[in-house]
Amino acid sequence: MGAFPMSEHSTYIPGNGVEKWIDERLPIIRFSKEHLMDFPTPKNLNYWWTFGGILAIMLVVQIVTGVILAMHYTPNIAMAFNSVEHIRRDVNGGRIIQATHAVGASMFFAAVYVHIFRGMYFGSYKAPREILWLLGVLIFVLMMATAFMGYVLPWGQMSFWAATVITNIFAAIPIVGNPILELLRGGFAVGNPTLNRFFSLHYLLPFVIAAVVILHIWALHVPGNNNPVGVEVKSDRDTLPFHPYYTMKDLYGIVLFAIPFAWFVFFIPDILGHPDNYIMANSQVTPAHIVPEWYFLPFYAILRAIDFNILFIDSKLGGVIFFAGSIVILFFLPWLDNSKTRSGTFRPMFKWFYWLFVLNFVGLTYLGSAPAEGIYVVLAKICTAYYFIHFLIILPVLSRIETSRPLPTSISESVLGKAH
Amino acid sequence: MATQAEHQSTRRDFLFVATGAVGAVGVGAVVWPLINQMNPDASTLALASIEFSLVGIEVGQSVTILWRGLPVFVRNRTPKEIEEAKAVPLSELKDPATDEERTKEGHENWLIMIANCTHLGCIPVGESGEYDGWFCPCHGSVYDTAGRIRKGPAPKNLVLPPYEFISDTLIKIG
């Protein structure tokens, strides 16, 4: 039953007088034991599930390195660029701390994409976990806003033009677009007021993310974890306590994840960035080929795929509508896929379309980095169309016509085989 | 008794609504300055008007100047470019405007435009693209020799700033 993990399963007995005194006033030790240690977790979670823990660690890494960088950074257009160089060259250990923060953003997004696609394959967005999914998409949106504003802070050419292009998206909104644009920039063009406020907000948003993460985990702990077979927990035999089984498994995943992270930080800290960002911002020259960071490329490809007017909607507004729609549509996923079967493992047709969607997403990533000319323009349109077709046509139709393979009666059965 | 009270609004109801309304106005009055501080400040607005001398810009030469923090193209067009711009039928244009509407009478060789692509604000590269005008490297918008959008995702022609000729060689923008 879904209600099982919700029930009180506290086995905490205060060990001494002090613990008892605390427990009667603020039962924080009891709460931690229940939710961080004893929490009943399906015993069949695979390594894709460790990315939740990896993401929690990444948020901590970014906040810690970010607070340190803010001790040495200057958010002023005359000094910002040099202050980042100062961090990299002069500050004790600054080279590594700055690289950790910059590479950390990429690693954070890599992990969040795995986490999102894991949820999509195993149907983790389905009832009763819709709010859990919605909060997750909200975190993703906040991450994108935070990463974008962070990218502006070094005040290189890519920083400046990313700020110009992305704020300009708001100008596409009819009537109020231009007033909003000037409000965001604090001027008629991106300038010192823009940099200053982006720094302020870049410092604020991670703490908002942390707050939503707490809600995300709360929403996880009401129905409990989904799992690779998508069959709900039915008895104690289906679960293991979170600690030590999953704390150790997550820790192992975190260590493996730290290996490529460290490799980037120590050996090739700049490879995920762009050389143009080592030229100081110049409002009079746009770099010949501007591209966003890799983790924005699929959405960027969608933004520029719309280069034609749609009825009374001009191409610019059209691009923005599709760009925003590609993210907003994720909020509706729990209601677009009505299949009763959660896990893609038991959905013979969904499985194929899922991988096609992944391939299409990778294709959009590639097209986002390609120049906007020739065959790339056509392919970007096809991939953009398919992105929306997947959500709006394929998923609703599949949930009507597809016959799922028989599900195991319980998690234990799927793990141990029929005999048990 | 209860039913009668439901139909008649009482003094208490009035006070309740009035208090709520005053409270809402109060919250709005506090929030607005907190948002409005983000709008362009006095020092930014102070740069709203500039004068610029055209002396020294030869035929076929362009310069980029700054007005209100925005880059502005000032181009002294060649006769060939002007001819090309005038020859285009309006029906071919996404954002129809004649060459005369894009320039000032008697100064048709001078094309003065805000240099930000009307798509997402990048600065197009001059004397390039299929229409001998400007090509925006960001998303592939192409403008002609009158700065009119011809191809790509940009919706509008390059924007003309408000300007006037004070003399033949001096303009005032803003």
Side-chain angles (χ1 to χ4, degrees):
Chain A
M1 282 304 296
F4 170 73
M6 254 191 290
S7 56
E8 285 300 316
H9 38 73
S10 183
T11 53
Y12 173 66
I13 297 156
N16 56 44
V18 177
E19 280 189 29
K20 190 164 182 297
W21 186 88
I22 294 171
D23 195 51
E24 283 161 1
R25 286 158 180 82
L26 180 71
I28 191 164
I29 304 174
R30 176 181 300 275
F31 179 86
S32 306
K33 188 161 189 305
E34 249 177 70
H35 286 278
L36 303 177
M37 297 179 73
D38 295 345
F39 192 75
T41 311
K43 64 183 177 185
N44 60 341
L45 298 189
N46 57 33
Y47 273 103
W48 299 115
W49 261 263
T50 61
F51 281 85
I54 289 170
L55 285 164
I57 292 294
M58 283 313 301
L59 181 61
V60 173
V61 168
Q62 291 303 86
I63 289 178
V64 170
T65 52
V67 167
I68 292 167
L69 290 176
M71 295 179 186
H72 305 279
Y73 170 78
T74 314
N76 177 290
I77 54 169
M79 294 181 270
F81 185 83
N82 289 334
S83 75
V84 174
E85 285 311 303
H86 159 72
I87 290 169
R88 291 173 64 113
R89 291 155 196 255
D90 304 337
V91 174
N92 301 331
R95 179 174 76 85
I96 298 302
I97 296 166
Q98 192 273 342
T100 305
H101 196 71
V103 173
S106 277
M107 297 304 288
F108 204 163
F109 272 94
V112 90
Y113 278 123
V114 173
H115 193 64
I116 291 170
F117 276 98
R118 186 269 289 161
M120 284 181 166
Y121 183 78
F122 292 107
S124 298
Y125 47 83
K126 295 188 181 192
R129 297 185 181 82
E130 298 95 325
I131 291 183
L132 173 59
W133 173 262
L134 296 182
L135 290 167
V137 180
L138 180 62
I139 293 169
F140 181 51
V141 172
L142 289 169
M143 276 177 66
M144 292 202 281
T146 310
F148 158 64
M149 288 191 276
Y151 191 59
V152 175
L153 302 184
W155 207 242
Q157 271 291 65
M158 285 304 202
S159 299
F160 181 90
W161 291 100
T164 299
V165 167
I166 300 300
T167 52
N168 234 311
I169 285 176
F170 292 90
I173 303 167
I175 303 161
V176 294
N178 266 316
I180 288 179
L181 182 65
E182 284 174 15
L183 183 83
L184 285 175
R185 291 176 172 177
F188 303 103
V190 170
N192 198 54
T194 325
L195 178 64
N196 233 202
R197 68 192 52 186
F198 277 15
F199 177 60
S200 167
L201 295 172
H202 182 71
Y203 206 119
L204 166 72
L205 282 185
F207 297 97
V208 177
I209 292 177
V212 184
V213 166
I214 289 169
L215 294 179
H216 190 64
I217 296 171
W218 185 3
L220 170 70
H221 279 212
V222 174
N225 293 75
N226 182 31
N227 65 80
V229 292
V231 176
E232 286 291 335
V233 168
K234 291 188 171 141
S235 72
D236 279 341
R237 290 185 351 117
D238 292 343
T239 65
L240 291 168
F242 185 71
H243 178 76
Y245 295 93
Y246 286 109
T247 43
M248 289 304 122
K249 186 162 182 161
D250 281 358
L251 194 59
Y252 183 56
I254 290 163
V255 169
L256 290 184
F257 187 79
I259 294 170
F261 188 2
W263 181 63
F264 278 121
V265 168
F266 288 103
F267 299 108
I268 42 171
D270 291 323
I271 203 157
L272 297 166
H274 202 286
D276 278 273
N277 223 27
Y278 287 96
I279 303 168
M280 196 168 151
N282 178 355
S283 68
Q284 305 215 30
V285 183
T286 305
H289 185 50
I290 71 161
V291 279
E293 293 283 86
W294 69 267
Y295 40 82
F296 289 138
L297 290 173
F299 303 104
Y300 186 68
I302 291 173
L303 171 73
R304 61 182 196 181
I306 312 300
D307 58 1
F308 47 91
N309 296 351
I310 308 162
L311 303 174
F312 58 91
I313 298 170
D314 70 44
S315 47
K316 178 175 170 179
L317 180 58
V320 172
I321 288 172
F322 275 75
F323 168 71
S326 65
I327 294 159
V328 169
I329 205 163
L330 296 173
F331 284 107
F332 293 92
L333 178 58
W335 296 276
L336 291 167
D337 176 8
N338 284 313
S339 172
K340 291 280 172 281
T341 310
R342 280 206 194 95
S343 173
T345 310
F346 299 97
R347 300 183 61 190
M349 293 166 78
F350 169 85
K351 206 186 277 184
W352 287 102
F353 284 109
Y354 171 83
W355 288 112
L356 205 54
F357 177 75
V358 173
L359 194 68
N360 187 64
F361 197 75
V362 173
L364 280 169
T365 308
Y366 173 75
L367 291 167
S369 69
E373 57 196 35
I375 184 72
Y376 298 124
V377 179
V378 182
L379 288 174
K381 284 174 187 155
I382 295 170
C383 289
T384 299
Y386 188 77
Y387 181 91
F388 287 95
I389 288 170
H390 177 82
F391 287 108
L392 295 174
I393 298 173
I394 293 172
L395 287 181
V397 169
L398 276 188
S399 43
R400 280 165 180 270
I401 63 167
E402 185 180 47
T403 314
S404 300
R405 283 172 42 212
L407 292 170
T409 53
S410 72
I411 291 171
S412 281
E413 189 201 282
S414 75
V415 174
L416 303 170
K418 291 275 181 204
H420 304 268
Chain B
M1 190 192 84
T3 45
Q4 218 178 359
E6 276 168 27
H7 292 295
Q8 281 182 343
S9 47
T10 61
R11 187 164 170 273
R12 184 175 290 262
D13 291 336
F14 171 76
L15 287 172
F16 186 73
V17 173
T19 310
V22 170
V25 170
V27 169
V30 172
V31 169
W32 173 241
L34 298 181
I35 294 172
N36 188 40
Q37 53 79 22
M38 290 176 71
N39 269 317
D41 60 28
S43 68
T44 307
L45 296 170
L47 304 168
S49 170
I50 57 164
E51 282 182 14
F52 180 70
S53 167
L54 301 173
V55 175
I57 305 175
E58 304 295 330
V59 172
Q61 202 184 0
S62 294
V63 295
T64 310
I65 59 173
L66 279 181
W67 169 65
R68 304 202 307 188
L70 295 168
V72 173
F73 286 143
V74 178
R75 176 157 181 83
N76 193 349
R77 297 190 296 172
T78 62
K80 177 172 166 278
E81 287 172 342
I82 301 170
E83 248 171 68
E84 273 178 27
K86 289 193 171 171
V88 180
L90 285 186
S91 59
E92 265 184 38
L93 298 171
K94 191 172 179 181
D95 180 16
T98 62
D99 193 59
E100 288 74 26
E101 287 164 351
R102 306 275 304 157
T103 51
K104 299 280 186 215
E105 205 184 335
H107 304 284
E108 279 87 356
N109 56 325
W110 292 105
L111 188 59
I112 294 157
M113 313 179 292
I114 292 173
N116 294 108
C117 177
T118 58
H119 182 223
L120 293 172
C122 295
I123 299 184
V125 181
E127 290 166 82
S128 58
E130 295 148 65
Y131 297 91
D132 292 339
W134 285 264
F135 171 74
C136 182
C138 292
H139 307 99
S141 293
V142 186
Y143 298 89
D144 68 13
T145 55
R148 295 172 298 197
I149 181 66
R150 300 301 291 272
K151 209 179 145 192
K156 301 272 183 222
N157 302 332
L158 287 175
V159 174
L160 308 177
Y163 72 94
E164 57 186 324
F165 278 85
I166 295 173
S167 71
D168 278 352
T169 54
L170 190 67
I171 54 167
K172 181 172 172 238
I173 305 178

